[in-house]
Amino acid sequence: MFIESIILNNYRAYKGCNRVSFEQNGKNIFVLAGNNGFGKTTFLTSLVWCLYGKLMVDVDEKFRREINDSQGYKNYSKLNLNKSSAADLLAMQLDNDLRRHIAKTGYTEQQKAIKDCAQCYVEVNIIDTFIPSIPCRRISIRRTYDYFLDNEVVEVLIDGHVNELAKEVGYDIFINDFILSKDIAKFFFFDAEKIVNLAEVKSVEEKRRLSTAYSEVLGIKKYEDIRRTLENLRLKLRKNAGASVSVAKLEKLSAEVASIEQSIDKSIDERSTMDERIAALKIENDSLQERLIREGNAMSVEELEKQKALLKSLQETNASMKQKFRDMLDLAPFAISGKLLYELYHQLRAEQDAKAKTANADAIIYALRSTHQELTSNIKNAGLTESQIELLTSIINDSFAHHVPAQTPAGTTCKVLLDYTAGEINEFQALYDNLRFSFSIAFKQLVKDLKNNSNFLIKTQKKIQAAEQDDRNAEVAILRKQKNEISNEISDLEAKIRSISEKIGVLNKELTVKKKQLSELSKTMRVDDVDKEKDAIAERIIAELTDLLQTLRHKRKQSLEAKIKSEIDVLMHKSDFIHKVRIDLEEDIIDINLLDSKGELINKEKLSKGEQQLYATAILKALVDESNIEFPVFIDSPLQKFDSIHSKNIITKFYPAVSKQVVIFPLLGKELSAGEYEALLPNVNKSYVIKNYNGVSSLVEVEPSKLFDTLS
């Protein structure tokens, strides 16, 4: 497949018709050079837009971000029209009646000036391509946006004619299926500086998307699609033949699976949109902060909010400390009258001891009297003679009369002054211990803490007052309000993203369960005799495809590992820095790991940007080789981040071999030096320079050997 020519008409910076022609003469490199802002990246974007239109969001995240930033694809398409042409069209002041008439009947010859100003289009002419069942020598793809009618049209001509098969399938599907799938377009249209993203894939979703692209590139996806189609066919056969209850259950489960899958896709898209919105808001947030600093206000909105929260905390702490201080002051008189308090303590202890002794004596006397009474009572019932009873009773009475007093002895000389209860004694004991052991230290520490807190509170108040003083400036107040609103929106979006991620996790678990139920149910349902043979053939082919896919994945895995390692060895000048490349496959997730000579994983994040770019470039080259897809490769910002040795390897070993047609968009003198271009020159077929006058870009062909003369 070879792109013969590309035409940009009124597309963004390119006003009027701009044509770039390529030719086959044995040299595969084409150079489109220009200064920053002249339209190199725009040219690359135009090709993606021409081929995929609104589906370009699936090609690369940067296109998704640009479309979201434009508030949708319709607004993004409007921006495709050259600004000067759009201004000329608006100056004509055309009414709605004319718009409706043109929409119904088309532009007339007299309305050519309106059409020329209203339309932008990109056309790609391709030769040397093979499409099954459709003989063709040339395919022309043109995507046109009409600013006046606000509509988009894509046309595909095969050998100059409309092909009914392509038209029936739908041109977008035809391009995706027969020219280049959007899932793998990122491997053929890329910014060399940003392909380091391939080396920084972390999340499961990113790995899953990359795995889908790899499957497409390596030719695995078509077999997976066939197997999925056959599985759906078997389900359909069972639906047609099963009992009404089973069929209803099968249809219900199928509908639930489809609904869950749609919900997951919708949630993922919603989360991606929010991620992009947050990224845009953060950029705007940083910009507002810079403006605030320029206005003399160095405190950010977030910092001001933190200071206010700190002030509130300090005020609460201050109030708590003051209350504690007041409570301690209530105890101060007791601490001051230390001697009196000491005497009070001893009086209370003496009264307590006296009470304890009295209570103990009463208890002992009561116990002895009870014992005496019990002994005399029991002797009478012991079966003794009268004389024996009298003798024993006399002995016991004498003993108790001698040792047990008739009443409680006075026993203490302590005068009762306080007569505290047990609870009151405990309270006084706690107060006394506090004053004796910890009051002084605690009081001094509290005074110190209160002083420090007050000083900190005053400083914080001054900071806030200074920041709020700046807010009296109307412009600063507006900026601060905008920044505060953006910060709040970012927080809300981050909370929603967390909620959506949790929802996706729950849905994935539910999907796994439903799919298992669906599989089990389909196995239990029988098919009609008429469809049995179809079902058996489908089952056999599915089994064969499963085995084939397993074998194919293993072979492709080994082949891709070897190719990536080979390309790394060619491009990277560090000898055996990467000893082995290991690809881990797990269901629909792919992970590429680099191992050192000890078999330990190399952290790709710790590679330099140049090394990450080389690693990603090696992946691209290996994938292109493995895919056997002959499509031109377009590279923006070539040689960025590379040192001289790596640049030489890229120029002499990567560009000449990656594809039969390689188009690079360098910034001369920076991304491609004169010396590097000399090394590249033997493989250069054609070169163009992007000129820009008053904001309007155009393409001028120059002799390859004289390309750097255009810098002077």
PDB file of all heavy atoms in Angstrom, residues 417-428:
ATOM      1  N   LEU A 417     -14.737  17.099 113.311  1.00  0.00           N
ATOM      2  CA  LEU A 417     -15.042  18.449 112.821  1.00  0.00           C
ATOM      3  C   LEU A 417     -15.702  18.430 111.434  1.00  0.00           C
ATOM      4  O   LEU A 417     -16.505  19.306 111.122  1.00  0.00           O
ATOM      5  CB  LEU A 417     -13.739  19.280 112.730  1.00  0.00           C
ATOM      6  CG  LEU A 417     -12.972  19.466 114.034  1.00  0.00           C
ATOM      7  CD1 LEU A 417     -11.653  20.194 113.748  1.00  0.00           C
ATOM      8  CD2 LEU A 417     -13.796  20.272 115.037  1.00  0.00           C
ATOM      9  N   LEU A 418     -15.309  17.480 110.581  1.00  0.00           N
ATOM     10  CA  LEU A 418     -15.740  17.475 109.172  1.00  0.00           C
ATOM     11  C   LEU A 418     -16.863  16.481 108.909  1.00  0.00           C
ATOM     12  O   LEU A 418     -17.849  16.815 108.254  1.00  0.00           O
ATOM     13  CB  LEU A 418     -14.542  17.139 108.266  1.00  0.00           C
ATOM     14  CG  LEU A 418     -13.343  18.074 108.412  1.00  0.00           C
ATOM     15  CD1 LEU A 418     -12.153  17.537 107.621  1.00  0.00           C
ATOM     16  CD2 LEU A 418     -13.710  19.474 107.923  1.00  0.00           C
ATOM     17  N   ASP A 419     -16.694  15.278 109.379  1.00  0.00           N
ATOM     18  CA  ASP A 419     -17.676  14.213 109.201  1.00  0.00           C
ATOM     19  C   ASP A 419     -18.058  14.016 107.723  1.00  0.00           C
ATOM     20  O   ASP A 419     -19.228  14.065 107.351  1.00  0.00           O
ATOM     21  CB  ASP A 419     -18.922  14.515 110.045  1.00  0.00           C
ATOM     22  CG  ASP A 419     -19.800  13.273 110.206  1.00  0.00           C
ATOM     23  OD1 ASP A 419     -19.247  12.151 110.035  1.00  0.00           O
ATOM     24  OD2 ASP A 419     -21.001  13.424 110.439  1.00  0.00           O
ATOM     25  N   TYR A 420     -17.036  13.871 106.833  1.00  0.00           N
ATOM     26  CA  TYR A 420     -17.276  13.663 105.388  1.00  0.00           C
ATOM     27  C   TYR A 420     -17.760  12.249 105.126  1.00  0.00           C
ATOM     28  O   TYR A 420     -17.397  11.307 105.847  1.00  0.00           O
ATOM     29  CB  TYR A 420     -15.979  13.877 104.598  1.00  0.00           C
ATOM     30  CG  TYR A 420     -15.636  15.335 104.330  1.00  0.00           C
ATOM     31  CD1 TYR A 420     -16.368  16.376 104.896  1.00  0.00           C
ATOM     32  CD2 TYR A 420     -14.558  15.655 103.500  1.00  0.00           C
ATOM     33  CE1 TYR A 420     -16.031  17.694 104.647  1.00  0.00           C
ATOM     34  CE2 TYR A 420     -14.219  16.979 103.232  1.00  0.00           C
ATOM     35  CZ  TYR A 420     -14.959  17.994 103.818  1.00  0.00           C
ATOM     36  OH  TYR A 420     -14.633  19.298 103.573  1.00  0.00           O
ATOM     37  N   THR A 421     -18.546  12.138 104.086  1.00  0.00           N
ATOM     38  CA  THR A 421     -18.965  10.812 103.625  1.00  0.00           C
ATOM     39  C   THR A 421     -17.808  10.180 102.848  1.00  0.00           C
ATOM     40  O   THR A 421     -16.817  10.845 102.502  1.00  0.00           O
ATOM     41  CB  THR A 421     -20.189  10.905 102.689  1.00  0.00           C
ATOM     42  OG1 THR A 421     -19.817  11.644 101.514  1.00  0.00           O
ATOM     43  CG2 THR A 421     -21.353  11.599 103.389  1.00  0.00           C
ATOM     44  N   ALA A 422     -17.941   8.899 102.502  1.00  0.00           N
ATOM     45  CA  ALA A 422     -16.884   8.193 101.756  1.00  0.00           C
ATOM     46  C   ALA A 422     -16.649   8.845 100.383  1.00  0.00           C
ATOM     47  O   ALA A 422     -15.505   9.006  99.932  1.00  0.00           O
ATOM     48  CB  ALA A 422     -17.261   6.720 101.583  1.00  0.00           C
ATOM     49  N   GLY A 423     -17.732   9.241  99.683  1.00  0.00           N
ATOM     50  CA  GLY A 423     -17.604   9.884  98.371  1.00  0.00           C
ATOM     51  C   GLY A 423     -16.878  11.211  98.466  1.00  0.00           C
ATOM     52  O   GLY A 423     -16.016  11.539  97.625  1.00  0.00           O
ATOM     53  N   GLU A 424     -17.223  11.993  99.513  1.00  0.00           N
ATOM     54  CA  GLU A 424     -16.578  13.297  99.700  1.00  0.00           C
ATOM     55  C   GLU A 424     -15.097  13.127 100.041  1.00  0.00           C
ATOM     56  O   GLU A 424     -14.249  13.914  99.604  1.00  0.00           O
ATOM     57  CB  GLU A 424     -17.300  14.070 100.799  1.00  0.00           C
ATOM     58  CG  GLU A 424     -18.692  14.536 100.392  1.00  0.00           C
ATOM     59  CD  GLU A 424     -19.486  15.108 101.566  1.00  0.00           C
ATOM     60  OE1 GLU A 424     -19.190  14.738 102.726  1.00  0.00           O
ATOM     61  OE2 GLU A 424     -20.397  15.911 101.330  1.00  0.00           O
ATOM     62  N   ILE A 425     -14.790  12.088 100.796  1.00  0.00           N
ATOM     63  CA  ILE A 425     -13.384  11.823 101.141  1.00  0.00           C
ATOM     64  C   ILE A 425     -12.587  11.496  99.877  1.00  0.00           C
ATOM     65  O   ILE A 425     -11.461  11.987  99.694  1.00  0.00           O
ATOM     66  CB  ILE A 425     -13.300  10.662 102.151  1.00  0.00           C
ATOM     67  CG1 ILE A 425     -13.860  11.105 103.511  1.00  0.00           C
ATOM     68  CG2 ILE A 425     -11.857  10.178 102.302  1.00  0.00           C
ATOM     69  CD1 ILE A 425     -14.022   9.982 104.509  1.00  0.00           C
ATOM     70  N   ASN A 426     -13.182  10.674  98.988  1.00  0.00           N
ATOM     71  CA  ASN A 426     -12.498  10.307  97.739  1.00  0.00           C
ATOM     72  C   ASN A 426     -12.253  11.531  96.853  1.00  0.00           C
ATOM     73  O   ASN A 426     -11.185  11.677  96.237  1.00  0.00           O
ATOM     74  CB  ASN A 426     -13.310   9.269  96.964  1.00  0.00           C
ATOM     75  CG  ASN A 426     -13.295   7.913  97.656  1.00  0.00           C
ATOM     76  OD1 ASN A 426     -12.363   7.596  98.407  1.00  0.00           O
ATOM     77  ND2 ASN A 426     -14.326   7.118  97.421  1.00  0.00           N
ATOM     78  N   GLU A 427     -13.244  12.426  96.757  1.00  0.00           N
ATOM     79  CA  GLU A 427     -13.094  13.646  95.958  1.00  0.00           C
ATOM     80  C   GLU A 427     -11.964  14.521  96.506  1.00  0.00           C
ATOM     81  O   GLU A 427     -11.140  15.059  95.762  1.00  0.00           O
ATOM     82  CB  GLU A 427     -14.408  14.428  95.948  1.00  0.00           C
ATOM     83  CG  GLU A 427     -15.490  13.788  95.082  1.00  0.00           C
ATOM     84  CD  GLU A 427     -16.772  14.614  95.093  1.00  0.00           C
ATOM     85  OE1 GLU A 427     -16.715  15.809  95.457  1.00  0.00           O
ATOM     86  OE2 GLU A 427     -17.828  14.064  94.739  1.00  0.00           O
ATOM     87  N   PHE A 428     -11.939  14.676  97.845  1.00  0.00           N
ATOM     88  CA  PHE A 428     -10.890  15.499  98.451  1.00  0.00           C
ATOM     89  C   PHE A 428      -9.512  14.862  98.241  1.00  0.00           C
ATOM     90  O   PHE A 428      -8.530  15.554  97.999  1.00  0.00           O
ATOM     91  CB  PHE A 428     -11.158  15.692  99.953  1.00  0.00           C
ATOM     92  CG  PHE A 428     -10.125  16.552 100.613  1.00  0.00           C
ATOM     93  CD1 PHE A 428     -10.202  17.941 100.534  1.00  0.00           C
ATOM     94  CD2 PHE A 428      -9.039  15.987 101.294  1.00  0.00           C
ATOM     95  CE1 PHE A 428      -9.231  18.737 101.127  1.00  0.00           C
ATOM     96  CE2 PHE A 428      -8.071  16.783 101.881  1.00  0.00           C
ATOM     97  CZ  PHE A 428      -8.166  18.161 101.804  1.00  0.00           C
TER      98      PHE A 428
END
